[in-house]
Amino acid sequence: VCFSYHVLIRSRSCAAFCYRTVEVDMPGQRRDDEASQLEGQPLGSQWSSKDNYYSVLNMPPGRPKSALSNYSNLTPWVRGLFFCHTYFAYVYTFYMFVLAFYKGYALQYPPGRQTWEMVLIMVLPAMQHLRFFFGHWGNELGRPHDLFAFMLFGTMTMLVLMYFLFYQAYIMPLDTSYLTIAVFIVAVEGICGIINSLQTMKLMSLSVCQISMLLISMTSLLGVITFFFLKELLPTEAWVEQYQIMKDAH
């Protein structure tokens, strides 16, 4: 009886001791509890409260890229247009290089004009790559800085292409055909960016500087698009220089 009594007392003391040790807050226990609570939740809901990214470049690597809450790409067909345009951009950039070398060999340029046009052709692929990158993520995720960069590079790309379409030193019929298509495609993609930018401004609380950036990029892009369509639709005049040949009186 005495042995069983001592065993009973010892078991009660162990139970009380175990009960007390469970209530003690050990170092790091609170973080473990929070982690265990987040394990059962989906990954998107874990980071929804911390969704304050303004660009895809600010998002942590290794995690799926998430769009704004209640955001959806209003022009989903622009993905296929981006895909086809990447190949078309390589093709007409190659033709621009070939024709530029041919013109420099066969025709006489004004001083410094050929170098300037070659520099513009070499800068064009870099602008196109940046425009495709920010255009894809900006239209898919709705981040304001990506959309701003997309419309800014779209404006710059259209200006370069329109220079070669309307104002380069020697314009050939082949230049007119593929450059008109190229400028039109960039304009359509830019309009898609403007539509999604308006949705982002409605869904996300932006600062005055961010709103001004988006408005400036949208206004400049719309201005360049309007100038392109006016230049194409209005009748053009051919300027022909006249030379008077002096003949001898003999």
Side-chain angles (χ1 to χ4, degrees):
V1 175
C2 293
F3 176 74
S4 62
Y5 176 74
H6 286 295
V7 170
L8 181 61
I9 293 176
R10 188 171 297 176
S11 62
R12 289 180 179 178
S13 62
C14 291
F17 176 75
C18 295
Y19 178 75
R20 290 175 183 174
T21 53
V22 171
E23 293 181 353
V24 176
D25 292 334
M26 300 299 291
Q29 182 181 1
R30 185 169 299 176
R31 295 181 180 177
D32 295 338
D33 294 341
E34 293 177 357
S36 62
Q37 291 177 2
L38 290 175
E39 285 180 357
Q41 301 178 4
L43 186 61
S45 61
Q46 295 179 15
W47 302 101
S48 60
S49 59
K50 301 179 182 180
D51 189 7
N52 55 356
Y53 303 111
Y54 295 104
S55 174
V56 69
L57 300 178
N58 298 331
M59 293 184 177
R63 292 175 184 167
K65 304 296 185 293
S66 60
L68 292 175
S69 58
N70 300 325
Y71 174 85
S72 62
N73 188 359
L74 298 178
T75 56
W77 46 267
V78 77
R79 306 168 192 165
L81 185 60
F82 278 138
F83 179 77
C84 298
H85 192 191
T86 51
Y87 292 98
F88 181 59
Y90 285 121
V91 172
Y92 69 71
T93 303
F94 172 74
Y95 276 112
M96 290 174 71
F97 272 111
V98 172
L99 291 177
F101 281 112
Y102 168 75
K103 294 173 187 177
Y105 176 77
L107 303 173
Q108 185 177 1
Y109 275 79
R113 189 75 173 270
Q114 184 182 6
T115 304
W116 171 249
E117 292 184 357
M118 288 297 297
V119 170
L120 285 180
I121 296 175
M122 288 186 289
V123 170
L124 185 60
M127 290 193 299
Q128 288 280 27
H129 279 289
L130 292 173
R131 192 182 67 86
F132 287 135
F133 175 80
F134 288 110
H136 170 74
W137 290 114
N139 287 288
E140 289 295 320
L141 306 181
R143 304 295 170 174
H145 292 180
D146 298 333
L147 290 169
F148 165 74
F150 168 62
M151 291 184 290
L152 178 64
F153 284 111
T155 303
M156 296 169 60
T157 304
M158 286 192 66
L159 289 175
V160 173
L161 293 175
M162 288 169 61
Y163 167 79
F164 286 100
L165 179 60
F166 300 121
Y167 301 108
Q168 65 173 320
Y170 301 101
I171 303 175
M172 303 180 68
L174 184 59
D175 292 326
T176 305
S177 59
Y178 66 77
L179 285 175
T180 303
I181 300 173
V183 178
F184 178 77
I185 295 176
V186 176
V188 173
E189 293 170 349
I191 293 174
C192 296
I194 293 174
I195 295 172
N196 289 314
S197 297
L198 294 175
Q199 182 185 188
T200 299
M201 294 173 64
K202 180 180 179 181
L203 296 177
M204 194 174 187
S205 58
L206 303 175
S207 62
V208 178
C209 180
Q210 291 170 337
I211 295 175
S212 302
M213 289 167 52
L214 288 175
L215 290 177
I216 290 173
S217 61
M218 286 189 290
T219 305
S220 60
L221 184 58
L222 285 175
V224 175
I225 293 173
T226 305
F227 177 77
F228 166 70
F229 281 104
L230 290 177
K231 192 75 174 177
E232 284 291 327
L233 295 177
L234 292 178
T236 57
E237 297 180 358
W239 294 88
V240 180
E241 296 183 358
Q242 297 180 0
Y243 296 93
Q244 184 177 3
I245 302 175
M246 303 297 297
K247 296 182 179 180
D248 296 335
H250 301 288

